[in-house]
Amino acid sequence: MAAMTSAFDLRSAAGWFRLIALAEAVSWVGLLGGMYFKYLGTPRTEIGVKVFGMTHGLIFIAFVVAGLLVGIAGKWSAGTWLLALLASIVPLCSVIFLIWADRTGKLAPAAAVSAVVQPGRRVPETT
């Protein structure tokens, strides 16, 4: 449980990026469901698109901004930037990008970013 808690540590940019990437995927699912009911469902209704369209748009912008901050901290290459942007456009790929970025070490270590967020506090060393 401690590993999951530290992965979503909101004191770090990487933790925020993880949370926003998952929210972006959930909002994609809601928007796709809303589009189904708008164009194919019975009864046809636009409420899902109205609700999830705005939600997804805001979360999309947050994903791009968070990716920008984490990318600067992690000194991403142009290819990693391109993958992050593509992942924000293709449905549910933000989670795939997140898993890949975690496994390849592209996300900045939480301790390094926490040190900036909380000046004056000692950062515990990790091994």
Side-chain angles (χ1 to χ4, degrees):
M1 183 71 178
M4 180 64 81
T5 305
S6 64
F8 291 101
D9 184 9
L10 298 183
R11 294 175 292 176
S12 69
W16 275 104
F17 183 71
R18 288 180 182 97
L19 182 66
I20 292 169
L22 292 176
E24 204 260 347
V26 170
S27 70
W28 253 123
V29 170
L31 183 57
L32 292 173
M35 290 184 345
Y36 170 80
F37 283 107
K38 180 178 180 178
Y39 296 111
L40 301 172
T42 303
R44 292 187 180 190
T45 179
E46 292 187 16
I47 190 71
V49 173
K50 288 181 181 179
V51 171
F52 285 105
M54 175 65 83
T55 304
H56 177 70
L58 294 173
I59 295 173
F60 168 80
I61 292 169
F63 180 81
V64 172
V65 170
L68 181 69
L69 295 174
V70 172
I72 291 170
K75 298 178 180 163
W76 287 354
S77 67
T80 305
W81 287 103
L82 182 62
L83 285 175
L85 287 175
L86 288 174
S88 68
I89 296 169
V90 179
L92 306 177
C93 279
S94 60
V95 174
I96 295 169
F97 176 79
L98 179 63
I99 293 168
W100 174 80
D102 267 335
R103 289 185 180 172
T104 57
K106 300 291 183 189
L107 296 181
V113 179
S114 294
V116 175
V117 174
Q118 297 179 348
R121 295 185 107 187
R122 295 195 78 197
V123 176
E125 294 189 24
T126 58
T127 55

